[in-house]
């Protein structure tokens, strides 16, 4: 590894049993909660000259990167670094490696200098870049191909938060292992609170009330400043808020942008065009606070036709709750919306676990109305299908839907599913007599 003088601090990484320790910006040492992405980051650093960790603000990118970094520079707050970039951007690349360059997108010129430095240096794992917004001009990033790997960091899953035992491993399920786990007991009140608090690392140790207050402030920041920051377009903050609220009301559905635009317009509001709605959604995508779930493209035996609409999701369901000012009591009074938010939380967790396996999470819907909430596709004929239900009384209905779906898929071309599973909020993990597995979310892990 190369080292040398540079902006920021060189530091040693400490370890303890159970938790890695990291130095905060003020110098004190506090516990670091391990992430599923930690191993992914190690693998990426071993494979490429640089790694870009992308994710929404407050998802823990910086602290995750600091577990591996040996020196660091924070471009969003380090005035000296900004001055040196204006003179010679290469100066901020100097330091022990891996070198963390935090919030790189605040100085996009640094991208090409990182690429050139990777080309010039021997070995792998020289830089870790983090970013909480995608620059509007992606041309600055295209030349990173083959040199800079991208790693998506989402808010923490229930397993990472310590609310899931992880006894039902997605990796083992995809490998064909039978589902089995002891009963997990969690109240609907606890589940509603978990949804409203969300998987944000900064909330660890905070009360639910304080966490939800921060989440509402997060919404305010998005509406007032963040969405303008990504593309420089000035927007009415209240209109952005109504757009977020409409997405929140339609979470885990295939609502079209036209539907969202009509909802934002309302009877007493000016109409929103499809073009404007698309620009709002693009801005939120660049902030990485929305992450729609794409449809699964597969081969069918039947004459049914696949639908191509994506499902609407925030990167964490707490954003939907905060956008509408909802707390746990609101969810308990509206079990229909509660169910959609529960589905969105499961999708968040599945994405975290699936990414570590090189898999992606889709949904299925055809023109007969048959739907499957989540398809985890790991490629090479390895896939699993899940229905997500809030309420144990809905397991039979979900199992019938999964079996009907499996009969339509042309398994001679895409392979047999590793599992057909119903993900519920609690209870035992087991395989039913019809072959459908029942998986409590409180036991699901990577």
């Amino acid at each position: 590894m190369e080292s040398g003088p540079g902006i920021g601090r060189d530091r040693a990484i400490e370890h303890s049993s159970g938790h890695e320790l990291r130095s905060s910006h003020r110098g004190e040492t506090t516990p670091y909660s391990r992430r599923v992405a930690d191993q992914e980051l190690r693998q990426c650093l071993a494979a490429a000259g640089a790694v870009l960790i992308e994710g929404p603000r407050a998802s823990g990118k910086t602290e995750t990167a600091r577990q591996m970094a040996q020196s660091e520079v924070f471009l969003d707050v380090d005035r000296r670094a900004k001055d040196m970039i204006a003179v010679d951007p290469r100066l901020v690349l100097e330091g022990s490696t891996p070198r963390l360059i935090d919030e790189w997108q605040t100085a996009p010129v640094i991208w090409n200098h990182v690429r050139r430095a990777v080309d010039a240096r021997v070995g792998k794992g020289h830089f870790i870049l983090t970013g909480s917004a995608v620059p509007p001009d992606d041309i600055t990033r295209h030349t990173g191909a083959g040199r800079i790997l991208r790693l998506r960091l989402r808010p923490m899953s229930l397993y990472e938060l310590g609310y899931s035992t992880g006894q039902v491993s997605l990796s083992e399920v995809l490998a064909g292992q039978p589902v089995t786990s002891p009963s997990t007991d969690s109240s609907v009140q606890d589940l509603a609170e978990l949804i409203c608090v969300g998987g944000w690392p900064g909330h660890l140790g905070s009360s639910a009330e304080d966490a939800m207050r921060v989440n509402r402030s997060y919404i305010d920041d998005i509406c007032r400043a963040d969405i303008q920051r990504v593309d420089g377009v000035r927007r009415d903050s209240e209109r952005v808020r109504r757009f977020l609220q409409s997405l929140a009301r339609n979470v885990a559905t295939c609502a079209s942008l036209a539907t969202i635009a009509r909802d934002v317009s309302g009877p007493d509001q000016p109409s929103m065009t499809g073009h404007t709605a698309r620009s709002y959604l693009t801005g939120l995508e660049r902030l990485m606070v929305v992450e729609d779930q794409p449809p699964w493209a597969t081969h069918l035996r039947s004459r049914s036709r696949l639908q191509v609409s994506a499902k609407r999701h925030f990167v964490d369901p707490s954003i939907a709750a905060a956008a509408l000012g909802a707390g746990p009591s609101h969810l308990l009074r509206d079990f229909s919306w509660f169910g959609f938010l529960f589905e969105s939380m499961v999708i968040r967790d599945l994405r975290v676990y699936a990414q570590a396996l090189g898999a992606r999470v889709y949904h299925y819907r055809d023109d007969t109305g048959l739907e499957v909430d989540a398809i985890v596709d790991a490629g090479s004929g390895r896939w699993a299908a899940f229905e997500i239900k809030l309420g144990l009384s809905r397991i039979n209905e979900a199992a019938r839907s999964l079996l009907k779906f499996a009969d339509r898929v042309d398994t001679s071309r895409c392979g047999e599913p590793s599992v057909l599973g119903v993900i519920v909020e609690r209870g035992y993990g087991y395989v039913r007599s019809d072959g459908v597995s029942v998986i409590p979310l409180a036991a699901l892990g990577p």
Side-chain angles (χ1 to χ4, degrees):
M1 292 184 178
E2 301 185 12
S3 62
I7 305 301
R9 296 176 288 115
D10 287 2
R11 58 189 174 80
I13 305 298
E14 303 179 43
H15 298 275
S16 69
S17 57
H19 292 282
E20 295 180 357
L21 299 182
R22 49 93 165 98
S23 302
S24 77
H25 292 201
R26 295 181 177 85
E28 62 269 20
T29 300
T30 53
Y32 170 75
S33 295
R34 294 186 185 275
R35 307 293 296 269
V36 172
D38 291 341
Q39 181 61 23
E40 292 180 75
L41 179 55
R42 290 188 189 94
Q43 293 168 345
C44 289
L45 286 169
V51 180
L52 169 61
I53 304 177
E54 292 183 305
R57 182 163 57 85
S59 59
K61 300 179 299 300
T62 302
E63 298 307 332
T64 294
R66 297 181 95 194
Q67 307 317 303
M68 310 289 173
Q70 295 299 317
S71 67
E72 57 196 24
V73 58
F74 302 95
L75 297 188
D76 58 335
V77 295
D78 192 330
R79 179 68 188 180
R80 185 179 168 217
K82 292 178 180 178
D83 291 343
M84 295 188 77
I85 286 173
V87 176
D88 185 350
R90 292 172 297 179
L91 294 174
V92 300
L93 304 186
E94 297 176 4
S96 298
T97 60
R99 180 152 175 83
L100 167 59
I101 303 172
D102 195 54
E103 296 295 349
W104 77 272
Q105 80 284 349
T106 62
V109 66
I110 207 72
W111 182 266
N112 280 335
H113 289 279
V114 168
R115 176 182 62 83
R116 293 184 186 117
V118 167
D119 286 344
R121 298 184 184 188
V122 176
K124 310 291 185 182
H126 300 294
F127 302 103
I128 306 173
L129 287 71
T130 68
S132 56
V134 178
D137 184 3
D138 251 9
I139 293 174
T140 59
R141 304 199 302 156
H142 290 170
T143 53
R147 303 173 180 89
I148 306 174
L149 295 183
R150 292 175 175 80
L151 191 159
R152 185 70 177 263
L153 190 69
R154 300 174 177 86
M156 299 173 80
S157 64
L158 292 189
Y159 175 74
E160 293 168 306
L161 291 169
Y163 290 101
S164 168
T165 66
Q167 289 177 300
V168 179
S169 161
L170 181 63
S171 174
E172 293 178 358
V173 164
L174 282 169
Q177 295 295 316
V179 169
T180 177
S181 68
S183 180
T184 56
D185 294 319
S186 58
S187 68
V188 290
Q189 291 83 359
D190 289 341
L191 184 63
E193 186 172 289
L194 285 169
I195 287 172
C196 293
V197 168
W200 308 100
H203 293 343
L204 294 173
S206 299
S207 69
E209 291 75 15
D210 286 346
M212 288 186 286
R213 185 176 295 110
V214 172
N215 291 346
R216 290 192 291 272
S217 177
Y218 196 162
I219 295 296
D220 292 340
D221 290 344
I222 291 171
C223 296
R224 185 177 57 252
D226 288 358
I227 195 169
Q228 177 179 326
R229 174 169 53 87
V230 295
D231 59 12
V233 178
R234 294 187 63 85
R235 297 182 177 90
D236 184 320
S237 62
E238 284 308 308
R239 216 164 194 216
V240 176
R241 187 181 303 275
R242 289 197 299 273
F243 191 85
L244 286 167
Q245 290 172 341
S246 181
L247 287 174
R249 284 189 287 269
N250 289 282
V251 70
T253 74
C254 292
S256 67
L257 265 181
T259 297
I260 302 294
R262 285 195 299 271
D263 190 29
V264 171
S265 301
D268 302 319
Q269 302 293 334
S271 61
M272 174 177 278
T273 66
H275 174 76
T276 300
R278 168 50 64 185
S279 76
Y280 276 44
L281 186 63
T282 298
L284 295 172
E285 288 170 344
R286 286 178 176 159
L287 289 172
M288 291 172 276
V289 295
V290 298
E291 187 177 9
D292 287 349
Q293 184 183 1
W296 194 44
T298 189
H299 302 284
L300 300 178
R301 281 193 288 250
S302 73
R303 293 185 178 180
S304 304
R305 294 193 178 188
L306 296 171
Q307 300 295 294
V308 297
S309 299
K311 268 192 177 184
R312 305 293 179 193
H313 288 284
F314 290 100
V315 72
D316 192 280
S318 62
I319 299 178
L324 291 172
S329 61
H330 296 87
L331 274 60
L332 295 171
R333 291 196 300 268
D334 186 349
F335 256 79
S336 176
W337 191 50
F338 191 175
F340 286 119
L341 291 175
F342 174 68
E343 178 181 337
S344 197
M345 182 166 68
V346 174
I347 296 301
R348 177 199 68 193
D349 286 11
L350 284 174
R351 281 172 164 158
V352 171
Y353 309 148
Q355 179 177 292
L357 303 172
R360 296 191 65 191
V361 180
Y362 302 90
H363 78 96
Y364 173 92
R365 188 184 185 196
D366 64 32
D367 59 356
T368 71
L370 181 63
E371 298 184 41
V372 175
D373 295 324
I375 308 290
V376 177
D377 192 337
S380 302
R382 282 197 311 143
W383 61 279
F386 301 101
E387 277 283 82
I388 302 167
K389 299 300 179 186
L390 180 61
L392 303 185
S393 63
R394 303 183 66 189
I395 291 175
N396 288 336
E397 163 201 346
R400 286 193 297 270
S401 181
L402 284 168
L403 292 169
K404 186 176 181 180
F405 155 76
D407 190 53
R408 291 190 182 178
V409 175
D410 187 351
T411 54
S412 67
R413 304 181 72 175
C414 67
E416 295 285 343
S418 299
V419 68
L420 300 174
V422 183
I423 300 177
V424 292
E425 73 276 14
R426 59 186 174 87
Y428 290 95
Y430 62 96
V431 181
R432 291 162 41 108
S433 59
D434 57 10
V436 174
S437 298
V438 177
I439 303 170
L441 180 60
L444 184 62

